[in-house]
Amino acid sequence: MKVDTVCIIDDDPICVYGTKILLNHNNFVSANIMVFEDGCEALTNLTSYLKNGQPLPDIILLDLNMPVMNGWEFLDKFQELTFKKKPKVFIVSSHFDQAEIDKGKSYELVRDFISKPLIAKNLTDIIAMSKVKV
């Protein structure tokens, strides 16, 4: 079960490091891991990839609480883009409530909510869900 590219959008360097270790150690990703520290940086770069005809990541692991542009603001702008192949977004947060889960379900791109810290089983589930056609 491999994917080509995973994008991590998170301002917590410890969580990013741990996620990268899990992805690399368990051979979930065959090529690239992109990392952006906030939604604005991610949106700018991913929009540029689209404009240049470069593929977007298969999976986006999105934190909600970030400076500059939070996860919700990122989703609002990102969903307005036109995609050939839609990335699957998984919201990864240390805490979320039912209202946030309900809000997340309103975004077509959001597949699920995952609690931090990520563990290998979470990644196995994410990869499996990303293989399902929407």
Side-chain angles (χ1 to χ4, degrees):
M1 287 192 307
K2 291 190 179 208
V3 295
D4 290 328
T5 306
V6 172
C7 176
I8 303 168
I9 306 172
D10 196 327
D11 64 321
D12 183 340
I14 294 170
C15 288
V16 169
Y17 178 76
T19 302
K20 287 170 71 174
I21 293 294
L22 281 173
L23 287 166
N24 288 320
H25 177 71
N26 292 294
N27 297 314
F28 288 114
V29 181
S30 60
N32 298 320
I33 299 173
M34 300 174 177
V35 178
F36 303 111
E37 292 184 8
D38 63 68
C40 185
E41 179 187 12
L43 186 64
T44 299
N45 284 281
L46 295 174
T47 301
S48 177
Y49 294 161
L50 272 175
K51 288 180 181 176
N52 293 323
Q54 296 172 283
L56 290 179
D58 302 299
I59 295 171
I60 296 175
L61 303 175
L62 177 65
D63 185 29
L64 292 178
N65 300 311
M66 297 176 288
V68 184
M69 178 185 281
N70 69 34
W72 297 121
E73 294 166 329
F74 168 81
L75 281 169
D76 288 338
K77 299 284 187 191
F78 191 66
Q79 74 177 0
E80 295 173 3
L81 302 176
T82 303
F83 308 100
K84 290 181 184 174
K85 179 182 171 192
K86 294 179 183 177
K88 295 176 177 64
V89 177
F90 294 86
I91 295 175
V92 181
S93 186
S94 53
H95 60 280
F96 42 82
D97 58 26
Q98 189 60 46
E100 289 176 313
I101 293 171
D102 293 341
K103 182 176 181 176
K105 289 178 181 178
S106 72
Y107 293 89
E108 180 185 352
L109 298 172
V110 174
R111 297 299 302 267
D112 205 357
F113 280 75
I114 309 293
S115 293
K116 284 183 181 180
L118 283 177
I119 58 173
K121 171 145 180 27
N122 294 137
L123 289 176
T124 301
D125 293 345
I126 288 169
I127 302 300
M129 282 189 268
S130 74
K131 297 295 183 185
V132 176
K133 301 265 186 203
V134 185

